[in-house]
Amino acid sequence: MEAFQRDFIQLAIEAQALCFGNFTLKSGRNSPYFFNAGKFDNGQALAMLGKCYAAKIVASGLSFDMLFGPAYKGIPLVAVTAAALATDHGINIPFAFNRKVAKAHGEGGSIVGAELSGKVLIIDDVITAGTAIREVLSLLASFKQASAAGVVIGLDRCEKIAADLSASQSFSRDHQLPVMSIVTIEDLLQFLTGEERISPEVVAEMEAYWQRYGAPKDNRL
C-alpha cells in the first residue's frame, strides 16, 4: 500500500469521515461502515486530502489538461487537489466546477473557474449511482473543445450493483473512461486488520459484507 493511501485512511478515521456501525445505504443494504467526505471540514484535513488526491493522480500517469469538481462535494475537492498538484508536484493546471442552478446575473452561466477545454479530469468523493458524474459528461459535451479524461474518487466500495459490476465498473464500461480511487474496500480491510482503534469484530463484519456484496475481481475494468 502506498503512503498516500495509508494517509488517506488514517485521515478518514481521525476526521470520522469513515464511520463504523450500522448504516442503511441508498441501495437499501445495511452496511457496517460508511464514508462521508463532508466530515473533512477543517483546513488541515482538506490540505491533507488534496495531497492524497494529487499523489494518486500523479501515480496514475494519466494525461489531462484541467480538473473539474461536480457540485457540491467535488467543489472543495477539486480546489485542494489543484493546489496540491501545484505545491507538491509542480503541476500548475486550471480547474473549474459547476453551479447546481445557473446564475442569471453577473458573469452568468453554470461554470465557475477556468474555461472547459482539453482533457478534463473529474474529481469527486465516491461513485454511488454515477448521476453527478454523468451530468458532468453531458455538460462537457456542450463544449466542443473539452472531453473527459477520467474520474478520480476517494473511496471505491467495489459493490456490485447490476450484472456483477460495481458502480465504478459500470460507469467505466458505459463511458469508456478510467475510474481511479485513492483506496478501495480491500485497501481498507488490509489497513484495518490489526489496527488497534478498530475492533476485530468490526473488521470481520466488513469482510463478511464485502464477501456478500463485492463485485468479482474478474470484472475489474
PDB file of all heavy atoms in Angstrom, residues 132-152:
ATOM      1  N   ALA A 132     -24.102  12.290 -10.682  1.00  0.00           N
ATOM      2  CA  ALA A 132     -23.422  13.583 -10.738  1.00  0.00           C
ATOM      3  C   ALA A 132     -22.365  13.607 -11.835  1.00  0.00           C
ATOM      4  O   ALA A 132     -22.227  14.607 -12.562  1.00  0.00           O
ATOM      5  CB  ALA A 132     -22.787  13.904  -9.383  1.00  0.00           C
ATOM      6  N   ILE A 133     -21.641  12.509 -11.984  1.00  0.00           N
ATOM      7  CA  ILE A 133     -20.569  12.493 -12.977  1.00  0.00           C
ATOM      8  C   ILE A 133     -21.135  12.377 -14.390  1.00  0.00           C
ATOM      9  O   ILE A 133     -20.596  12.950 -15.339  1.00  0.00           O
ATOM     10  CB  ILE A 133     -19.572  11.365 -12.667  1.00  0.00           C
ATOM     11  CG1 ILE A 133     -18.936  11.632 -11.296  1.00  0.00           C
ATOM     12  CG2 ILE A 133     -18.491  11.272 -13.726  1.00  0.00           C
ATOM     13  CD1 ILE A 133     -18.015  10.564 -10.813  1.00  0.00           C
ATOM     14  N   ARG A 134     -22.241  11.661 -14.541  1.00  0.00           N
ATOM     15  CA  ARG A 134     -22.894  11.615 -15.851  1.00  0.00           C
ATOM     16  C   ARG A 134     -23.383  13.008 -16.256  1.00  0.00           C
ATOM     17  O   ARG A 134     -23.355  13.369 -17.436  1.00  0.00           O
ATOM     18  CB  ARG A 134     -24.042  10.606 -15.842  1.00  0.00           C
ATOM     19  CG  ARG A 134     -23.568   9.156 -15.875  1.00  0.00           C
ATOM     20  CD  ARG A 134     -24.728   8.169 -15.958  1.00  0.00           C
ATOM     21  NE  ARG A 134     -24.249   6.824 -16.192  1.00  0.00           N
ATOM     22  CZ  ARG A 134     -23.904   5.963 -15.235  1.00  0.00           C
ATOM     23  NH1 ARG A 134     -24.012   6.331 -13.968  1.00  0.00           N
ATOM     24  NH2 ARG A 134     -23.457   4.762 -15.539  1.00  0.00           N
ATOM     25  N   GLU A 135     -23.825  13.789 -15.268  1.00  0.00           N
ATOM     26  CA  GLU A 135     -24.229  15.162 -15.553  1.00  0.00           C
ATOM     27  C   GLU A 135     -23.032  15.979 -16.042  1.00  0.00           C
ATOM     28  O   GLU A 135     -23.169  16.823 -16.928  1.00  0.00           O
ATOM     29  CB  GLU A 135     -24.832  15.801 -14.314  1.00  0.00           C
ATOM     30  CG  GLU A 135     -26.205  15.245 -13.946  1.00  0.00           C
ATOM     31  CD  GLU A 135     -26.738  15.810 -12.643  1.00  0.00           C
ATOM     32  OE1 GLU A 135     -25.991  16.561 -11.970  1.00  0.00           O
ATOM     33  OE2 GLU A 135     -27.891  15.510 -12.299  1.00  0.00           O
ATOM     34  N   VAL A 136     -21.859  15.717 -15.481  1.00  0.00           N
ATOM     35  CA  VAL A 136     -20.646  16.414 -15.934  1.00  0.00           C
ATOM     36  C   VAL A 136     -20.339  16.039 -17.380  1.00  0.00           C
ATOM     37  O   VAL A 136     -19.984  16.905 -18.195  1.00  0.00           O
ATOM     38  CB  VAL A 136     -19.445  16.071 -15.031  1.00  0.00           C
ATOM     39  CG1 VAL A 136     -18.159  16.671 -15.608  1.00  0.00           C
ATOM     40  CG2 VAL A 136     -19.675  16.572 -13.627  1.00  0.00           C
ATOM     41  N   LEU A 137     -20.494  14.772 -17.725  1.00  0.00           N
ATOM     42  CA  LEU A 137     -20.230  14.348 -19.104  1.00  0.00           C
ATOM     43  C   LEU A 137     -21.176  15.043 -20.074  1.00  0.00           C
ATOM     44  O   LEU A 137     -20.763  15.453 -21.169  1.00  0.00           O
ATOM     45  CB  LEU A 137     -20.372  12.828 -19.223  1.00  0.00           C
ATOM     46  CG  LEU A 137     -19.390  11.983 -18.415  1.00  0.00           C
ATOM     47  CD1 LEU A 137     -19.580  10.503 -18.741  1.00  0.00           C
ATOM     48  CD2 LEU A 137     -17.946  12.388 -18.683  1.00  0.00           C
ATOM     49  N   SER A 138     -22.435  15.189 -19.682  1.00  0.00           N
ATOM     50  CA  SER A 138     -23.392  15.906 -20.524  1.00  0.00           C
ATOM     51  C   SER A 138     -22.987  17.366 -20.678  1.00  0.00           C
ATOM     52  O   SER A 138     -23.103  17.954 -21.761  1.00  0.00           O
ATOM     53  CB  SER A 138     -24.798  15.816 -19.926  1.00  0.00           C
ATOM     54  OG  SER A 138     -25.246  14.475 -19.900  1.00  0.00           O
ATOM     55  N   LEU A 139     -22.496  17.935 -19.569  1.00  0.00           N
ATOM     56  CA  LEU A 139     -22.032  19.318 -19.597  1.00  0.00           C
ATOM     57  C   LEU A 139     -20.833  19.474 -20.523  1.00  0.00           C
ATOM     58  O   LEU A 139     -20.769  20.392 -21.343  1.00  0.00           O
ATOM     59  CB  LEU A 139     -21.673  19.759 -18.176  1.00  0.00           C
ATOM     60  CG  LEU A 139     -21.193  21.194 -17.972  1.00  0.00           C
ATOM     61  CD1 LEU A 139     -22.300  22.178 -18.329  1.00  0.00           C
ATOM     62  CD2 LEU A 139     -20.760  21.396 -16.521  1.00  0.00           C
ATOM     63  N   LEU A 140     -19.876  18.559 -20.420  1.00  0.00           N
ATOM     64  CA  LEU A 140     -18.680  18.630 -21.259  1.00  0.00           C
ATOM     65  C   LEU A 140     -19.032  18.490 -22.742  1.00  0.00           C
ATOM     66  O   LEU A 140     -18.363  19.075 -23.595  1.00  0.00           O
ATOM     67  CB  LEU A 140     -17.692  17.525 -20.869  1.00  0.00           C
ATOM     68  CG  LEU A 140     -16.998  17.658 -19.512  1.00  0.00           C
ATOM     69  CD1 LEU A 140     -16.099  16.465 -19.256  1.00  0.00           C
ATOM     70  CD2 LEU A 140     -16.203  18.947 -19.437  1.00  0.00           C
ATOM     71  N   ALA A 141     -20.091  17.730 -23.019  1.00  0.00           N
ATOM     72  CA  ALA A 141     -20.488  17.516 -24.408  1.00  0.00           C
ATOM     73  C   ALA A 141     -20.919  18.807 -25.085  1.00  0.00           C
ATOM     74  O   ALA A 141     -20.889  18.905 -26.324  1.00  0.00           O
ATOM     75  CB  ALA A 141     -21.618  16.488 -24.476  1.00  0.00           C
ATOM     76  N   SER A 142     -21.294  19.799 -24.285  1.00  0.00           N
ATOM     77  CA  SER A 142     -21.701  21.084 -24.854  1.00  0.00           C
ATOM     78  C   SER A 142     -20.509  21.996 -25.132  1.00  0.00           C
ATOM     79  O   SER A 142     -20.679  23.083 -25.679  1.00  0.00           O
ATOM     80  CB  SER A 142     -22.691  21.784 -23.918  1.00  0.00           C
ATOM     81  OG  SER A 142     -22.076  22.112 -22.683  1.00  0.00           O
ATOM     82  N   PHE A 143     -19.317  21.566 -24.739  1.00  0.00           N
ATOM     83  CA  PHE A 143     -18.083  22.318 -25.014  1.00  0.00           C
ATOM     84  C   PHE A 143     -17.265  21.513 -26.026  1.00  0.00           C
ATOM     85  O   PHE A 143     -16.665  20.493 -25.678  1.00  0.00           O
ATOM     86  CB  PHE A 143     -17.281  22.537 -23.736  1.00  0.00           C
ATOM     87  CG  PHE A 143     -17.923  23.497 -22.773  1.00  0.00           C
ATOM     88  CD1 PHE A 143     -18.930  23.081 -21.923  1.00  0.00           C
ATOM     89  CD2 PHE A 143     -17.524  24.829 -22.719  1.00  0.00           C
ATOM     90  CE1 PHE A 143     -19.532  23.964 -21.032  1.00  0.00           C
ATOM     91  CE2 PHE A 143     -18.120  25.715 -21.840  1.00  0.00           C
ATOM     92  CZ  PHE A 143     -19.131  25.282 -20.999  1.00  0.00           C
ATOM     93  N   LYS A 144     -17.244  21.958 -27.262  1.00  0.00           N
ATOM     94  CA  LYS A 144     -16.622  21.178 -28.336  1.00  0.00           C
ATOM     95  C   LYS A 144     -15.144  20.927 -28.094  1.00  0.00           C
ATOM     96  O   LYS A 144     -14.583  19.924 -28.553  1.00  0.00           O
ATOM     97  CB  LYS A 144     -16.826  21.897 -29.673  1.00  0.00           C
ATOM     98  CG  LYS A 144     -18.275  21.933 -30.128  1.00  0.00           C
ATOM     99  CD  LYS A 144     -18.406  22.599 -31.490  1.00  0.00           C
ATOM    100  CE  LYS A 144     -19.856  22.618 -31.951  1.00  0.00           C
ATOM    101  NZ  LYS A 144     -20.026  23.271 -33.279  1.00  0.00           N
ATOM    102  N   GLN A 145     -14.501  21.854 -27.375  1.00  0.00           N
ATOM    103  CA  GLN A 145     -13.056  21.738 -27.181  1.00  0.00           C
ATOM    104  C   GLN A 145     -12.695  20.917 -25.944  1.00  0.00           C
ATOM    105  O   GLN A 145     -11.518  20.782 -25.618  1.00  0.00           O
ATOM    106  CB  GLN A 145     -12.417  23.130 -27.080  1.00  0.00           C
ATOM    107  CG  GLN A 145     -12.761  23.903 -25.809  1.00  0.00           C
ATOM    108  CD  GLN A 145     -14.043  24.691 -25.920  1.00  0.00           C
ATOM    109  OE1 GLN A 145     -14.961  24.285 -26.623  1.00  0.00           O
ATOM    110  NE2 GLN A 145     -14.110  25.819 -25.224  1.00  0.00           N
ATOM    111  N   ALA A 146     -13.705  20.369 -25.234  1.00  0.00           N
ATOM    112  CA  ALA A 146     -13.444  19.628 -23.993  1.00  0.00           C
ATOM    113  C   ALA A 146     -13.913  18.184 -24.104  1.00  0.00           C
ATOM    114  O   ALA A 146     -14.900  17.881 -24.776  1.00  0.00           O
ATOM    115  CB  ALA A 146     -14.148  20.314 -22.822  1.00  0.00           C
ATOM    116  N   SER A 147     -13.184  17.297 -23.422  1.00  0.00           N
ATOM    117  CA  SER A 147     -13.587  15.892 -23.325  1.00  0.00           C
ATOM    118  C   SER A 147     -13.106  15.351 -21.984  1.00  0.00           C
ATOM    119  O   SER A 147     -12.147  15.865 -21.397  1.00  0.00           O
ATOM    120  CB  SER A 147     -12.996  15.066 -24.470  1.00  0.00           C
ATOM    121  OG  SER A 147     -11.572  15.080 -24.406  1.00  0.00           O
ATOM    122  N   ALA A 148     -13.762  14.333 -21.496  1.00  0.00           N
ATOM    123  CA  ALA A 148     -13.399  13.753 -20.199  1.00  0.00           C
ATOM    124  C   ALA A 148     -12.158  12.879 -20.323  1.00  0.00           C
ATOM    125  O   ALA A 148     -12.024  12.090 -21.263  1.00  0.00           O
ATOM    126  CB  ALA A 148     -14.563  12.942 -19.643  1.00  0.00           C
ATOM    127  N   ALA A 149     -11.240  13.030 -19.358  1.00  0.00           N
ATOM    128  CA  ALA A 149     -10.040  12.199 -19.322  1.00  0.00           C
ATOM    129  C   ALA A 149     -10.223  11.002 -18.399  1.00  0.00           C
ATOM    130  O   ALA A 149      -9.557   9.975 -18.559  1.00  0.00           O
ATOM    131  CB  ALA A 149      -8.844  13.026 -18.854  1.00  0.00           C
ATOM    132  N   GLY A 150     -11.115  11.134 -17.407  1.00  0.00           N
ATOM    133  CA  GLY A 150     -11.321  10.073 -16.430  1.00  0.00           C
ATOM    134  C   GLY A 150     -11.899  10.655 -15.159  1.00  0.00           C
ATOM    135  O   GLY A 150     -12.237  11.840 -15.091  1.00  0.00           O
ATOM    136  N   VAL A 151     -12.003   9.803 -14.151  1.00  0.00           N
ATOM    137  CA  VAL A 151     -12.593  10.185 -12.872  1.00  0.00           C
ATOM    138  C   VAL A 151     -11.684   9.701 -11.752  1.00  0.00           C
ATOM    139  O   VAL A 151     -11.161   8.578 -11.798  1.00  0.00           O
ATOM    140  CB  VAL A 151     -13.997   9.560 -12.695  1.00  0.00           C
ATOM    141  CG1 VAL A 151     -14.620  10.000 -11.370  1.00  0.00           C
ATOM    142  CG2 VAL A 151     -14.905   9.908 -13.865  1.00  0.00           C
ATOM    143  N   VAL A 152     -11.496  10.560 -10.738  1.00  0.00           N
ATOM    144  CA  VAL A 152     -10.754  10.159  -9.535  1.00  0.00           C
ATOM    145  C   VAL A 152     -11.672  10.349  -8.333  1.00  0.00           C
ATOM    146  O   VAL A 152     -12.244  11.425  -8.141  1.00  0.00           O
ATOM    147  CB  VAL A 152      -9.470  10.991  -9.335  1.00  0.00           C
ATOM    148  CG1 VAL A 152      -8.703  10.480  -8.115  1.00  0.00           C
ATOM    149  CG2 VAL A 152      -8.590  10.920 -10.568  1.00  0.00           C
TER     150      VAL A 152
END
